Amino acid sequence: MRLVCFPHAGGAASAFLPLSRALGGRLDVLAVQYPGRQDRRREEPYRGIAAHADAIAEAMDPLTDGPYALFGHSMGAVLAYETARRLAAAGRPGPLRVFLSGRGAPSPRPGAHDRLGSDTEILNAVRGLGGTGHTVLDDPELLAMVMPALRADYGALGAYRWTAGSPLVSPLTVLVGDADPVVAVDEAAAWHDHTTGDFDLRVLPGGHFYLDDRTDEVRDIITTSLLVAGSAA
């Protein structure tokens, strides 16, 4: 079974290397590499969630012929959700489960954390979340490499407007850190309204990037959920 992973704002596919190693070959782990970083650093980043989800859904279309699941963290949760919506609208088989991590349920208006205009605001937010090593943020050359992606990603989040539509049929597992400074547990629980399938909320110790310290627990949640889904299918 394939597990397609969607990184956070400013993140890259390599963010999921620890989770892939923890899964130890039990799943075929794939990660979306957003343009504007690592091996796609020369490409222009997407500046809108809708256009980005359109491109990902198109690229994923051949993968939907077999069993698969989605895992998105932070901005990646929004993209995983919007990608699943597009695949459903196209009549493609849906994921066996969608894992949405470190993100509250969408609403027609962006949250305060997404409305960041200046580079200073973005950098302060990223430092507060702890997702990018301070050695990167404090090195002018490295910072110059990552800032275009950060600007584009936070710009996309700030411009994102959820539009009502049919809820997903796929079951959802929502994960959130109990000390996340930007996602309250009740905001994560509100994803319940976005599926007609099973819903599971998991609150784990840690902040926004709880996954860094709870990889084995997340691995167990994923494998147990997908084993149940796979046997039911």
Side-chain angles (χ1 to χ4, degrees), residues 101-102 174-178 180 183-185 188 201-204 207 210:
S101 169
V174 175
L175 306 96
V176 65
D178 61 1
D180 193 317
V183 184
V185 172
L201 175 65
R202 301 296 186 100
V203 182
L204 299 175
Y210 71 90

Side-chain angles (χ1 to χ4, degrees), residues 8-10 37 45-52 75 78-79 103 109-119 121-123 125-126 146-161:
H8 56 278
R37 61 216 78 195
Y46 283 100
R47 299 189 179 277
I49 294 294
H52 206 169
M75 183 186 79
V78 178
L79 282 170
R103 183 76 189 184
R109 299 181 62 184
H113 179 69
D114 295 333
R115 298 195 298 270
L116 304 176
S118 69
D119 287 358
E121 289 177 320
I122 292 171
L123 289 173
V126 172
V146 302
M147 274 312 301
L150 281 169
R151 289 190 198 104
D153 290 352
Y154 274 100
L157 285 171
Y160 173 61
R161 301 293 185 272

